[in-house]
DNA sequence: GCCTATTGATCAGTATGCTGAATATCAGTA
DNA sequence: TACTGATATTCAGCATACTGATCAATAGGC
């Protein structure tokens, strides 16, 4: 049996664990209070005003049931508005508020710094390779998770 | 601002999400009911009989407070025994039960299959590169998470 | 031996993520 | 139009993960 420390599953958990910790530390140091999940959701909503929750979920590969709580918290923080859709009364239309867009602008440098920090042990070439390999592995197994990415560009 | 889909933080979440889904599917198909976290904990306990919870946490990079619940569930499933330590009455000594060791043996092929599946889109060389790069990135940022790895071999 | 700082475990509270089910609504068809 | 199947959201329940606090016990310095 191979070394546990070399198993991709273990490495995935560790890398994600570190990525979240670095993200929260940088964002907090910049004076913001937003989780990685909330950030990605806010960015996607801001880029797609009026988006419904299922489409949003597919866009950022969340589970549908997780989205509800995430949006709840974004609404509670005043960063997002959730309104009943006029075309489909089942759906909710999500829009970033001015405060949401302002937060997004202000937080971006911290988010980018976090990305650099989590790769700080790698050379530029290694970092590019890692990103490429992760993207390739993820693309090949996208359908294996309950919340596959639904990229409108490739759908 | 760079593409969200190319951010290491996003890729870390997606890869971990897929890794967990693949693990659970393979383990379930093999007739077992064990999460990735429970598996790693059980393996570490089996390899280190009598280990206490803090040492276990360091060995597999868990948060101390998470361990309590994980061990609770392993004990409830009859795979692990938790006894008060005789040397230190604060500590708990963890041991795998015969059922725990049997589960570990039986589940190994499914766990290894899961590792292959989550890398199925990569060539052998790419898979090796990905593992190496993840290990390198993680090692450089180990101390940035609340639950850094405490490898007894390097401590 | 006593005091203080540390340590091992647990708990309360919050935020992902998932499964499976319920509810309301919509869309297509007989 | 009535019915059937699909869809958008939410909820209950469970399992990670984390922060910060509490509590019991230990260890080291004096």
């Amino acid at each position: 049996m191979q070394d546990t420390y070399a198993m991709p599953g273990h490495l995935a958990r560790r890398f994600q664990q570190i990525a979240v910790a670095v993200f929260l530390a940088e964002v907090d140091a910049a004076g913001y209070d937003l989780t990685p999940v909330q950030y990605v959701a806010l960015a996607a909503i801001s880029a797609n005003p009026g988006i419904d929750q299922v489409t949003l979920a597919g866009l950022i590969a969340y589970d549908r049931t997780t989205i509800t709580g995430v949006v709840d918290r974004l609404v509670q923080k005043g960063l997002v508005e959730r309104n009943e859709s006029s075309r489909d009364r089942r759906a909710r239309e999500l829009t970033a508020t001015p405060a949401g867009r302002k937060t997004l602008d202000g937080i971006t440098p911290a988010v980018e710094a976090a990305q650099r920090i989590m790769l700080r042990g790698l050379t530029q070439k290694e970092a590019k390779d890692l990103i490429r390999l992760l993207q390739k592995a993820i693309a090949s197994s996208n359908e294996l998770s309950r919340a596959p990415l639904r990229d409108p560009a490739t759908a």
Side-chain angles (χ1 to χ4, degrees), chain A:
Chain A
M1 153 116 180
Q2 60 173 311
D3 181 11
T4 300
Y5 293 156
M7 284 192 182
H10 172 77
L11 298 174
R13 184 178 67 83
R14 289 285 289 134
F15 190 52
Q16 154 76 352
Q17 180 186 47
I18 289 166
V20 172
V22 168
F23 182 101
L24 291 175
E26 288 302 303
V27 164
D28 181 67
Y32 292 92
D33 171 31
L34 218 59
T35 66
V37 169
Q38 288 166 16
Y39 166 76
V40 181
L42 178 58
I45 292 167
S46 179
N48 300 275
I51 194 173
D52 67 289
Q53 294 185 185
V54 165
T55 308
L56 171 63
L59 214 53
I60 53 186
Y62 284 33
D63 191 272
R64 308 180 299 286
T65 62
T66 304
I67 274 285
T68 301
V70 173
V71 172
D72 278 351
R73 287 178 281 277
L74 286 173
V75 169
Q76 207 199 335
K77 287 178 180 174
L79 306 178
V80 164
E81 257 190 40
R82 169 162 46 188
N83 297 305
E84 196 177 86
S85 167
S86 50
R87 288 159 308 154
D88 184 341
R89 291 221 310 280
R90 292 169 302 179
R92 307 280 177 274
E93 284 179 359
L94 306 173
T95 338
T97 64
R101 283 192 297 277
K102 195 165 160 236
T103 295
L104 208 51
D105 283 348
I107 210 177
T108 298
V111 172
E112 294 181 344
Q115 310 305 310
R116 284 191 298 275
I117 291 171
M118 64 185 78
L119 297 180
R120 67 179 182 182
L122 305 182
T123 66
Q124 287 250 321
K125 181 185 178 313
E126 286 174 332
K128 271 184 86 168
D129 283 348
L130 176 58
I131 288 170
R132 184 180 55 81
L133 292 172
L134 280 173
Q135 284 177 319
K136 191 172 177 188
I138 290 164
S140 306
S141 300
N142 185 40
E143 296 301 324
L144 298 184
S145 79
R146 165 157 147 164
L149 189 72
R150 302 289 179 205
D151 191 341
T154 64

